[in-house]
Amino acid sequence: MVINEIMKYVESEYSIIKNTPCEVCGGSYEASEEGIGFINDEPYDICECSCSECGHERVFQFAAPFLVERPKEMLNKTLN
């Protein structure tokens, strides 16, 4: 994946968070912390969020294949 594809991928994650209503009050979630985690040996982008209305917390997990794929430019440098 090139950087533009990665950025679109991450932007889509934030779009999902923004468009997911709070299960408690229907408010909007906001990301408070973000990190990387592994689930079944696969990388995930983990976003801890809280509702801006009631404070309810939720963790969003998004597969992050871009963390294991190496850009072609890097492969070319290591092979040469």
Side-chain angles (χ1 to χ4, degrees):
M1 268 187 192
V2 295
I3 193 73
N4 288 340
E5 292 171 326
I6 293 170
M7 293 305 294
K8 286 181 183 178
Y9 199 94
V10 173
E11 286 174 10
S12 71
E13 294 175 359
Y14 280 96
S15 178
I16 291 169
I17 292 169
K18 179 181 175 186
N19 292 308
T20 301
C22 173
E23 301 93 17
V24 175
C25 73
S28 300
Y29 284 109
E30 295 178 350
S32 54
E33 289 190 44
E34 187 175 353
I36 305 300
F38 285 85
I39 301 171
N40 296 325
D41 294 326
E42 296 293 326
Y44 279 78
D45 188 11
I46 311 293
C47 295
E48 294 180 16
C49 302
S50 59
C51 176
S52 60
E53 300 293 322
C54 71
H56 176 72
E57 295 181 346
R58 178 173 175 178
V59 176
F60 288 82
Q61 302 170 346
F62 301 98
F66 52 86
L67 294 173
V68 293
E69 294 181 8
R70 296 180 70 183
K72 290 178 185 175
E73 303 84 40
M74 287 180 68
L75 287 174
N76 288 337
K77 287 181 182 177
T78 59
L79 293 176
N80 293 330

